[in-house]
Amino acid sequence: MTVLLVSAAALIDSDGRVLLTKRPEGKWMAGYWEFPGGKVEAGETPEKALIRELREELGIDTWESCLAPLTFASYPYDNFHLLMPLFACRKWNGFPRSSERQELSWARPREFKNYKLLPADIPMVPILRDWL
């Protein structure tokens, strides 16, 4: 089975809310909410990939020094196995905006139960909640 390496961020605002993005129609698992991020390309570190993805998807800039490793997901989907480090990030330039038709929502971890999260993201919620 193929292992897919994806890097994700828990972007945390000054009110302790975390940004979730909803996968748009036409994408795999459309309608599910997730932590922003994306695939790690050949030659990239998870941190570099995340910085690139946040710029592409949300129009924000951050730096490796602002990415704190928090937890990771190891999840078996039907066609691949996902390995996803989750980084906490409290500092970035710009205001997150949708550049790929995805819906955005700021929520507290205790409110995540109101969102249909991707299965791989669900086990990371208690860790994030306890950390905040």
Side-chain angles (χ1 to χ4, degrees), residues 3 11 37 64 92 96 102:
V3 174
L11 295 172
E64 283 191 48
W92 59 86
Q102 75 273 39

Side-chain angles (χ1 to χ4, degrees), residues 95-114:
F95 189 79
R97 58 176 170 32
S98 174
S99 61
E100 296 186 351
R101 304 179 342 265
Q102 75 273 39
E103 189 177 332
L104 308 180
S105 183
W106 291 96
R108 299 184 191 291
R110 69 176 179 267
E111 300 167 337
F112 285 4
K113 64 184 174 293
N114 301 324

Side-chain angles (χ1 to χ4, degrees), residues 102-130:
Q102 75 273 39
E103 189 177 332
L104 308 180
S105 183
W106 291 96
R108 299 184 191 291
R110 69 176 179 267
E111 300 167 337
F112 285 4
K113 64 184 174 293
N114 301 324
Y115 294 81
K116 185 170 82 170
L117 292 173
L118 283 172
D121 289 27
I122 293 170
M124 297 187 292
V125 172
I127 295 162
L128 178 58
R129 184 187 58 232
D130 291 348

Side-chain angles (χ1 to χ4, degrees), residues 12-73:
I12 304 161
D13 72 6
S14 59
D15 292 328
R17 298 175 306 166
V18 179
L19 184 68
L20 295 174
T21 61
K22 188 175 185 181
R23 297 183 65 80
E25 291 302 317
K27 277 201 164 186
W28 177 76
M29 304 278 295
Y32 280 84
W33 291 86
E34 64 184 341
F35 297 108
K39 293 178 190 169
V40 177
E41 303 293 343
E44 284 184 319
T45 64
E47 294 86 352
K48 294 278 189 213
L50 187 54
I51 290 166
R52 175 184 52 74
E53 288 283 348
L54 293 175
R55 184 176 306 117
E56 290 172 3
E57 289 183 8
L58 300 174
I60 61 173
D61 289 308
T62 193
W63 309 267
E64 283 191 48
S65 61
C66 297
L67 300 175
L70 182 60
T71 188
F72 73 96

